[in-house]
Amino acid sequence: MKILAKAPFGLLIVFLLLHPFAGKAQNMPLANAFSHNDYQHKLPLFDAIDNGYTYIEADVYVHKNRLVVTHVLPLIHHHRTLEGLYLQPLAEYISANNGQIYPGYNHPVTLMIDIKSDPAKTYALLRPLLEKYRSMLNGPVRVVLSGNKPYGLVKADTAKLVTLDADLRKINRNAPGDSTFLAMASCKYSKLLKWKGTGALSMRDKQRLTAYVDQAHLYGAKVRLWHSPDSPVVWNQLLQCGVDLINTDKLSRLRNFLEQKAPVTEHSKSVISPVSQ
């Protein structure tokens, strides 16, 4: 792969030693696949791409004036920066693959940045960093901010480099006035459903979930429930209720489920999605 010639030496060595798909055809992109806490995988970003994921999440924390990828205070992984782990590799990968992440896939791959530190301080560091990679944004890559979201700063920023993830349960209240700012609507699974996949999902729960999903779709937002059970039974029910994105840490397991279940969408023959858009 051409990207290896440009990759930092450390990343190159790790890629060659651990990457099981090097030199093989990529998996088909999956419109419903969301790589939760992607940075915890053996090869952040690349494992997700090789499994066809079109949504990838990185938690970000400000540490010593840098954006470090971590879920909690970065005492151990302070060297893993957002740029080094995601933005630079994405730019190099896209450059080496004719301006795309997946050949023939004409939709952006979403990088969700889940802000764990102060939103204003984080955005102050993030804004110039994204400007550096502007050429790939709003094209092959889209950035969505979640967690501690800097609503006011994003709305006031004329650069339009990011979109936002709303709270699904409060979407009528916290959705920005301009719908172009809103890309997703998320909620913790247990806040809406207690069902673990045993027995049938009650009609009441189905109707409640579907109502939230329909409301989010009115704003053009893709719906995700995080910390949902990693169960094909649950995944199937979520898709039937209109949930757009299946949140998982089990990359290959969800890929296999979607590939076996899903028809090819009419939007792109290279995209697998069991959810009608």
Side-chain angles (χ1 to χ4, degrees):
M1 299 175 71
K2 294 180 181 179
I3 186 174
L4 297 182
K6 296 183 178 181
F9 182 74
L11 178 60
L12 172 61
I13 295 299
V14 172
F15 191 93
L16 291 174
L17 290 176
L18 301 178
H19 199 294
F21 300 106
K24 298 182 181 179
Q26 291 177 331
N27 283 293
M28 191 173 293
L30 303 167
N32 306 112
F34 186 102
S35 179
H36 174 248
N37 289 346
D38 179 79
Y39 53 92
Q40 294 181 349
H41 294 292
K42 184 178 292 185
L43 284 176
L45 178 64
F46 293 111
D47 284 346
I49 289 176
D50 283 321
N51 279 283
Y53 279 62
T54 54
Y55 287 78
I56 299 169
E57 179 191 35
D59 292 348
V60 169
Y61 203 108
V62 174
H63 180 65
K64 295 184 178 180
N65 212 38
R66 297 189 306 163
L67 296 178
V68 175
V69 178
T70 183
H71 186 75
V72 295
L73 188 65
L75 299 178
I76 300 176
H77 299 301
H78 57 86
H79 61 287
R80 289 155 53 106
T81 66
L82 178 66
E83 181 174 22
L85 210 59
Y86 286 97
L87 294 177
Q88 182 180 351
L90 274 170
E92 292 176 346
Y93 194 92
I94 290 165
S95 176
N97 286 278
N98 299 314
Q100 294 180 308
I101 293 177
Y102 299 110
Y105 183 63
N106 297 316
H107 306 279
V109 168
T110 296
L111 174 63
M112 173 182 274
I113 299 174
D114 192 340
I115 299 174
K116 298 300 182 182
S117 48
D118 179 83
K121 290 181 180 178
T122 304
Y123 195 67
L125 292 173
L126 180 62
R127 173 66 172 75
L129 188 58
L130 294 181
E131 185 67 46
K132 179 180 178 180
Y133 293 94
R134 173 186 281 274
S135 62
M136 74 175 179
L137 303 181
N138 302 318
V141 176
R142 175 179 62 173
V143 172
V144 176
L145 302 185
S146 188
N148 299 328
K149 299 176 284 288
Y151 274 108
L153 293 173
V154 171
K155 291 182 69 174
D157 193 341
T158 58
K160 312 299 182 189
L161 295 173
V162 301
T163 51
L164 297 173
D165 174 38
D167 184 332
L168 177 62
R169 296 172 301 155
K170 302 176 182 178
I171 192 166
N172 284 327
R173 285 182 284 162
N174 67 9
D178 185 344
S179 61
T180 60
F181 285 102
L182 187 61
M184 293 174 56
S186 301
C187 177
K188 188 175 183 179
Y189 180 91
S190 62
K191 298 293 185 181
L192 290 181
L193 303 173
K194 304 301 181 184
W195 182 64
K196 302 299 183 183
T198 302
L201 179 63
S202 70
M203 183 57 65
R204 180 180 179 181
D205 283 342
K206 284 183 182 180
Q207 292 174 343
R208 184 166 183 256
L209 176 56
T210 301
Y212 277 115
V213 169
D214 290 345
Q215 189 66 52
H217 286 171
L218 289 177
Y219 290 99
K222 300 285 187 180
V223 174
R224 173 184 70 112
L225 300 185
W226 48 278
H227 281 180
S228 59
D230 274 321
S231 160
V233 173
V234 174
W235 294 339
N236 186 62
Q237 189 63 72
L238 291 178
L239 293 172
Q240 288 186 17
C241 290
V243 172
D244 303 282
L245 305 173
I246 301 299
N247 184 95
T248 190
D249 301 309
K250 310 294 184 182
L251 299 184
S252 60
R253 189 179 187 193
L254 177 61
R255 182 200 73 217
N256 292 336
F257 167 80
L258 291 173
E259 287 179 340
Q260 292 170 11
K261 177 180 177 61
V264 177
T265 67
E266 61 183 17
H267 297 292
S268 171
K269 292 184 179 181
S270 65
V271 184
I272 290 180
S273 173
V275 179
S276 57
Q277 302 296 323

